[in-house]
Amino acid sequence: MLHTPPWVRFHDAGRLTFRWEDAVLSAHHLGSDAASQPVLRTAQRIEPRARLALAIALTEWIVWRFDGLHTRTEPGAFLEAAWCATADPRYLRSFELLRADWRGPVEGPLWCALTHLGHALSRGVDFPRHLFDALSYLTRLALHVQPTTGPMMAWLPLVLDRLALVYPAGPEDPLEADLFARDAAARLGRWVPREVFDLAIPFDGNTGRAFLESVLSTARWEENAFLRRPEELRTAHFPGKPYELARLTVR
């Protein structure tokens, strides 16, 4: 079970002063896209798995911002599934949350965040445009719903610099291309831990495996509707043993 990470901080989280209209969900109504441009520039320069992790980190600013203001269990369960999906996107079950069930200035933004992140994780590896669109939207949405933008804006540029330093994208090797998109996990780059986003912790890029091993070993797939069961994964010819990291090969 994930808890609020130390790098997500709020001033007066119970204050809902932002504008929200359930009928208007597009990024065009979340203000200027200037804040998302550094995110997109960095995303183009880092490994795919780091891009996925960045999308989850932005979503955490939204999910935890509303913690205690609703009784939904889905946001926390989805974050658990999302981090599992950075190990292999096949862990994430295809889902659709009914928009009509998620309304108002708390559940409305949560629906938007989970839906956009779900598209990024399930489609973003083979169709990067989905991931870049989600990164842009999630950045704007996260800033839009903050009580004050100061804490997030102090964190974001430093995290982008860290990702660019630790997870720079290397040149593509045509001999290692996954031409038939059979093994997405092997094309994502190095393992990325959640603690890379905690600027209070010195980081050298070598702890990603330990983090993901822990996430997978404690994943409650029996209770989490967003995670695929081991038998489903085996039927889909999942390589290795489901919810174990040891046998995955990363290029």
Side-chain angles (χ1 to χ4, degrees):
M1 183 70 175
L2 296 176
H3 300 283
T4 309
W7 40 267
V8 173
R9 296 179 292 108
F10 309 106
H11 300 316
D12 196 6
R15 188 164 55 95
L16 302 178
T17 59
F18 57 88
R19 179 185 177 189
W20 187 259
E21 297 179 31
D22 286 308
V24 179
L25 304 176
S26 73
H28 298 295
H29 295 84
L30 294 178
S32 170
D33 65 351
S36 68
Q37 292 307 304
V39 173
L40 295 178
R41 286 194 295 269
T42 298
Q44 293 172 2
R45 297 163 46 207
I46 61 179
E47 294 175 336
R49 184 171 273 111
R51 296 174 192 163
L52 297 177
L54 176 56
I56 300 172
L58 292 168
T59 303
E60 295 222 37
W61 278 92
I62 302 166
V63 168
W64 299 113
R65 184 262 178 276
F66 296 113
D67 190 36
L69 301 180
H70 63 90
T71 59
R72 295 277 188 179
T73 60
E74 291 94 336
F78 183 74
L79 286 179
E80 178 186 62
W83 282 112
C84 289
T86 66
D88 193 308
R90 285 169 286 196
Y91 283 124
L92 187 66
R93 184 191 298 276
S94 178
F95 72 94
E96 181 179 1
L97 300 175
L98 294 179
R99 180 68 189 93
D101 295 339
W102 296 70
R103 305 185 68 81
V106 173
E107 295 189 359
L110 287 171
W111 181 90
C112 291
L114 271 56
T115 299
H116 279 77
L117 180 59
H119 289 165
L121 294 171
S122 60
R123 305 174 187 174
V125 176
D126 295 317
F127 304 98
R129 176 62 182 271
H130 288 286
L131 178 52
F132 290 126
D133 286 348
L135 285 168
S136 176
Y137 183 85
L138 291 168
T139 302
R140 290 189 243 178
L141 179 60
L143 288 169
H144 182 71
V145 302
Q146 297 307 304
T148 59
T149 60
M152 183 176 170
M153 286 304 296
W155 167 85
L156 184 57
L158 297 178
V159 157
L160 295 178
D161 288 344
R162 174 179 275 191
L163 292 174
L165 177 65
V166 179
Y167 297 105
E172 293 187 8
D173 185 347
L175 296 179
E176 293 189 342
D178 183 18
L179 298 179
F180 301 102
R182 291 173 177 167
D183 193 2
R187 294 182 281 118
L188 296 181
R190 289 167 291 170
W191 311 116
V192 181
R194 195 183 188 210
E195 57 261 33
V196 72
F197 298 102
D198 187 351
L199 297 171
I201 300 177
F203 189 77
D204 61 8
N206 294 320
T207 60
R209 174 175 287 274
F211 166 76
L212 287 175
E213 284 177 338
S214 175
V215 168
L216 292 173
S217 66
T218 59
R220 299 167 301 163
W221 50 263
E222 307 96 328
E223 306 170 16
N224 193 329
F226 298 105
L227 284 171
R228 299 176 72 186
R229 294 177 173 271
E231 55 266 27
E232 294 178 271
L233 292 164
R234 285 190 288 265
T235 300
H237 306 292
F238 186 85
K241 186 176 180 180
Y243 295 99
E244 286 190 8
L245 200 64
R247 299 184 183 180
L248 293 179
T249 301
V250 179
R251 296 193 188 101

